């Protein structure tokens, strides 16, 4: 049965993909790989501007930007030093001076894209050799850390560490107009054979009455995730909390309800009980990293995307895609093309999946395997609103006021006034503009009619607009809950 479904999906991918009205279309921009280290302010801004421009053309509507690689900051912070991955020397500010996070928030919002600040909670030092600044947590509080296979990590067992990380998160969310706070897949360290985690003394000192070491470690991470979620939403209730776990929750050999896979496991090896966080509402979205190909022997992409779609039942589900691996592996049914079409078809066919996050942004910008071209000409060719979040309130803005069409020396323009607001849920942040032919049923759920998302209170009609039609404008709040519609007729 699965084979028949796969063939049907591949055949449907040959046709122009149907557009989604609401879809998270994200890309990760990482710093820990050193791509920005020491390049200078102007060059980094040029690189980021170029990447954002291309990603915008490709249809991206969200950027996940790494701002805290190892308890250091790509933003101005009174709590942690400037990042080694920004200037090449931890604690040294950039010159000419700038704040990369503030700049990215502004640049993304100018392009109508969300900006999610991406932190690694526990990692305090990678294997890359460099000097720690005197105000770095490793220097200030060595008792909060442990070493593991060349890494230095904040100890998940310690309440002091959870409080410290949440203080950093609160500072980011309070001072910056970010749309999301994002953490990746590093909880307890990825296991190395023969290297134990040095936490026996912590387990003996404070085990919460839990006798099993694995359950105790999971509880430590659970306490942090719950506190993180509360910290963000107590600070700004509209900021979304996103988690991007490793792509396998559990294998069936460990749990009959697990996936038919044979690899490292979130639950057993990283002590991350992602399904518990889903049930308890401690995430607003989840992006499992499904970086394998369809047909992978140990971790088949087809198996895993169906498993996550069936088992993550409360949280918005997006899929983490490895662009390079996707274009390096041939389609199982057509060796002359790679697997992008087959994977994107699965995304559209499984109703629980609300979006995609691309690993990594530069691979998409470089258009390897024409991946970006396919996004902009097919899968993401029309704009998309963000998916609705269950925990982000039910209120919405009032509809735009006094929507009218004008002709200014041959340039036809639709203009409107913003509605009045009383709180963040009714405050307008963007507008959606739709177009319908005269006599056509107005259906704003049909994504093919969405022509633009804008922060302006006007829309210039294209020169090619020659027939009578109807334009519709709606108002969107911070989390893109949508108002009722306002119509205006445009004559020939």
């Amino acid at each position: 049965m699965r084979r028949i479904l796969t063939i049907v999906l591949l055949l449907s991918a040959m046709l122009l993909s149907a557009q989604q009205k609401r879809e998270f279309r994200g890309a990760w921009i990482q710093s820990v790989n050193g791509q920005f280290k020491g390049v200078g302010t102007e060059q980094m801004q040029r690189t980021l501007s170029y990447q954002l421009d291309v990603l915008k053309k490709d249809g991206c509507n969200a950027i996940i930007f790494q701002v805290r690689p190892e308890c250091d900051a790509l933003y101005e912070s009174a709590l942690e030093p400037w990042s080694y991955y920004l200037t090449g020397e931890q604690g040294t500010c950039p010159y000419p001076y700038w704040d990369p996070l503030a700049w990215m928030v502004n640049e993304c919002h100018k392009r109508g894209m969300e900006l999610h600040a991406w932190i690694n909670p526990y990692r305090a030092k990678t294997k890359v050799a460099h000097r720690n600044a005197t105000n770095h947590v490793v220097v200030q509080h060595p008792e909060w850390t442990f070493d593991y296979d060349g890494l230095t990590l904040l100890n998940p067992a310690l309440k002091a560490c959870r409080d410290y990380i949440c203080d950093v998160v609160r500072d980011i969310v309070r001072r910056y107009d970010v749309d999301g706070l994002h953490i990746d897949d590093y909880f307890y360290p990825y296991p190395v054979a023969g290297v134990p985690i040095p936490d026996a003394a912590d387990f003996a000192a404070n085990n919460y009455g839990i006798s099993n070491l694995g359950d105790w470690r999971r509880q430590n991470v659970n306490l942090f995730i719950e506190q993180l979620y509360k910290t963000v939403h107590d600070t700004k209730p509209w900021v979304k909390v996103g988690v991007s776990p490793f792509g396998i929750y559990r294998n069936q050999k460990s749990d009959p309800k697990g996936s038919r896979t044979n690899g490292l496991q979130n639950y057993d090896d990283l002590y991350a009980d992602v399904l518990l966080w889903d049930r308890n509402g401690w995430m607003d979205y989840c992006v499992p990293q499904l970086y394998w190909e369809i047909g992978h022997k140990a971790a088949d992409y087809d198996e895993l995307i169906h498993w996550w779609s069936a088992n993550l039942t409360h949280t918005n589900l997006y899929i983490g895609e490895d662009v390079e691996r996707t274009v390096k592996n041939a389609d199982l049914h057509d060796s002359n093309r790679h697997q992008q079409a087959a994977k994107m078809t699965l995304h559209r066919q499984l109703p629980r999946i609300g979006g995609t996050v691309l690993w990594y942004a530069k691979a998409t910008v470089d258009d390897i395997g024409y991946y970006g071209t396919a996004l902009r000409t097919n899968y993401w060719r029309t704009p998309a609103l963000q998916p609705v979040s269950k925990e982000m309130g039910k209120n919405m803005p009032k509809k735009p006021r006094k929507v009218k069409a004008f002709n200014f020396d041959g340039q036809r323009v639709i203009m409107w006034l913003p509605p009045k607001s009383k709180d963040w849920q009714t405050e307008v942040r963007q507008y959606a503009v739709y177009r319908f032919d005269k006599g056509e049923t107005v259906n704003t759920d049909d994504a093919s009619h969405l022509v633009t998302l804008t922060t302006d209170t006007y829309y210039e009609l294209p020169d090619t607009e020659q027939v009578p039609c109807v334009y519709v404008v709606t108002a969107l709040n911070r989390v893109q809950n949508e108002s009722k519609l306002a119509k205006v007729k445009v004559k020939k």
Side-chain angles (χ1 to χ4, degrees):
M1 184 66 183
R2 176 67 61 80
R3 181 178 177 83
I4 294 173
L5 176 60
T6 301
I7 293 172
V8 170
L9 297 181
L10 289 172
L11 290 173
S12 66
M14 296 178 185
L15 303 174
L16 203 60
S17 176
Q19 299 300 288
Q20 309 297 303
K21 176 178 173 174
R22 290 187 179 271
E23 187 172 31
F24 190 91
R25 301 171 175 177
W28 281 292
I29 297 181
Q30 81 276 38
S31 57
V32 75
N33 66 344
Q35 65 173 322
F36 303 128
K37 187 179 68 177
V39 302
T41 299
E42 293 182 4
Q43 180 58 46
M44 185 172 171
Q45 289 180 352
R46 281 196 299 269
T47 298
L48 288 170
S49 292
Y50 175 72
Q51 290 187 0
L52 293 179
D53 286 342
V54 174
L55 290 167
K56 173 67 175 177
K57 291 177 182 177
D58 287 344
C60 277
N61 60 16
I63 298 297
I64 300 174
F65 181 52
Q66 189 174 30
V67 300
R68 185 182 183 262
E70 49 174 45
C71 295
D72 55 3
L74 274 83
Y75 60 95
E76 184 178 298
S77 172
L79 302 177
E80 296 188 315
W82 284 101
S83 179
Y84 163 77
Y85 294 96
L86 178 63
T87 63
E89 183 174 358
Q90 193 176 83
T92 299
C93 67
Y95 180 83
Y97 184 86
W98 70 308
D99 184 321
L101 177 55
W103 187 89
M104 281 291 285
V105 167
N106 183 58
E107 292 297 312
C108 286
H109 287 176
K110 281 197 313 187
R111 293 168 174 82
M113 307 162 91
E114 289 193 345
L115 189 283
H116 294 225
W118 164 20
I119 71 165
N120 184 283
Y122 297 113
R123 185 172 58 207
K125 192 171 183 180
T126 67
K127 294 182 181 181
V128 177
H130 65 85
R131 179 189 60 83
N132 284 119
T134 56
N135 63 329
H136 191 267
V137 66
V138 167
V139 177
Q140 293 290 315
H141 291 285
E143 74 279 9
W144 289 358
T145 70
F146 63 75
D147 294 329
Y148 186 86
D149 189 43
L151 301 173
T152 302
L153 306 166
L154 294 180
N155 188 347
L158 301 182
K159 182 179 184 300
C161 291
R162 296 193 291 271
D163 291 344
Y164 173 72
I165 299 166
C166 288
D167 284 344
V168 171
V169 166
R170 184 182 297 104
D171 180 59
I172 293 172
V173 173
R174 179 180 60 83
R175 293 193 297 117
Y176 295 90
D177 190 20
V178 297
D179 303 286
L181 192 287
H182 183 91
I183 64 173
D184 51 25
D185 55 326
Y186 294 98
F187 300 103
Y188 275 88
Y190 275 67
V192 176
V195 181
I197 297 172
D199 60 357
D202 298 303
F203 181 51
N206 183 20
N207 60 16
Y208 321 122
I210 298 172
S211 59
N212 180 275
L213 180 62
D215 289 341
W216 173 76
R217 288 173 177 165
R218 277 183 287 275
Q219 177 62 7
N220 290 329
V221 180
N222 293 339
L223 290 170
F224 166 68
I225 296 294
E226 181 180 17
Q227 184 176 348
L228 172 73
Y229 188 82
K230 188 175 187 300
T231 296
V232 171
H233 283 272
D234 283 353
T235 306
K236 288 180 181 175
W238 58 84
V239 174
K240 289 168 271 195
V241 175
V243 180
S244 180
F246 183 73
I248 299 173
Y249 176 70
R250 299 193 86 186
N251 302 308
Q252 275 191 357
K253 67 180 181 181
S254 301
D255 183 345
K257 296 181 181 179
S259 53
R260 294 175 295 177
T261 50
N262 184 25
L264 182 124
Q265 305 168 101
N266 273 294
Y267 185 90
D268 303 85
D269 301 312
L270 302 178
Y271 306 100
D273 192 351
V274 184
L275 294 191
L276 176 70
W277 311 341
D278 173 52
R279 292 193 301 271
N280 288 348
W282 296 340
M283 306 179 288
D284 295 307
Y285 68 90
C286 182
V287 192
Q289 298 172 18
L290 304 192
Y291 289 170
W292 303 276
E293 68 269 20
I294 298 173
H296 190 282
K297 292 182 179 179
D300 182 5
Y301 180 98
D302 184 87
E303 164 70 15
L304 284 166
I305 197 170
H306 280 88
W307 188 91
W308 283 99
S309 179
N311 288 277
L312 197 86
T313 56
H314 295 81
T315 308
N316 283 354
L317 174 61
Y318 315 140
I319 301 300
E321 292 285 351
D322 187 312
V323 174
E324 289 186 341
R325 294 188 198 181
T326 296
V327 302
K328 286 180 180 179
N329 285 281
D331 188 293
L332 297 186
H333 302 279
D334 183 355
S335 60
N336 293 317
R337 66 177 184 174
H338 56 63
Q339 293 193 355
Q340 182 184 15
K343 288 184 175 183
M344 293 301 285
T345 301
L346 286 168
H347 284 226
R348 297 292 167 83
Q349 293 292 328
L350 295 172
R352 277 286 295 126
I353 295 172
T356 307
V357 183
L358 306 172
W359 176 259
Y360 49 98
K362 187 177 184 300
T364 310
V365 170
D366 291 345
D367 202 19
I368 60 173
Y370 300 104
Y371 194 101
T373 296
L375 292 178
R376 72 173 64 181
T377 60
N378 188 359
Y379 305 109
W380 294 353
R381 70 181 183 275
T382 62
L385 281 65
Q386 295 294 339
V388 174
S389 178
K390 296 177 183 177
E391 304 302 323
M392 294 294 182
K394 303 300 181 183
N395 293 339
M396 61 190 68
K398 299 291 186 181
K399 67 182 181 180
R401 298 182 295 133
K402 298 183 179 181
V403 182
K404 295 182 179 180
F406 298 90
N407 191 321
F408 296 106
D409 295 328
Q411 174 62 64
R412 288 181 292 176
V413 179
I414 297 170
M415 304 182 72
W416 59 88
L417 294 176
K420 296 179 180 180
S421 63
K422 59 182 180 180
D423 54 26
W424 74 265
Q425 294 190 63
T426 55
E427 178 189 4
V428 179
R429 294 295 291 242
Q430 280 186 303
Y431 299 92
V433 180
Y434 305 82
R435 182 197 177 281
F436 300 88
D437 288 334
K438 182 180 179 181
E440 189 175 9
T441 300
V442 173
N443 177 14
T444 57
D445 290 331
D446 184 344
S448 66
H449 293 279
L450 179 61
V451 295
T452 192
L453 299 173
T454 181
T455 56
D456 297 325
T457 54
Y458 65 88
Y459 173 69
E460 296 182 359
L461 273 61
D463 294 336
T464 55
E465 187 66 271
Q466 299 295 330
V467 297
C469 59
V470 174
Y471 276 86
V472 168
V473 184
T474 61
L476 307 169
N477 67 7
R478 285 180 176 270
V479 293
Q480 299 209 324
N481 290 336
E482 190 172 21
S483 73
K484 294 180 179 179
L485 54 88
K487 301 179 187 178
V488 61
K489 293 180 180 179
V490 176
K491 298 179 181 179
K492 185 173 180 181

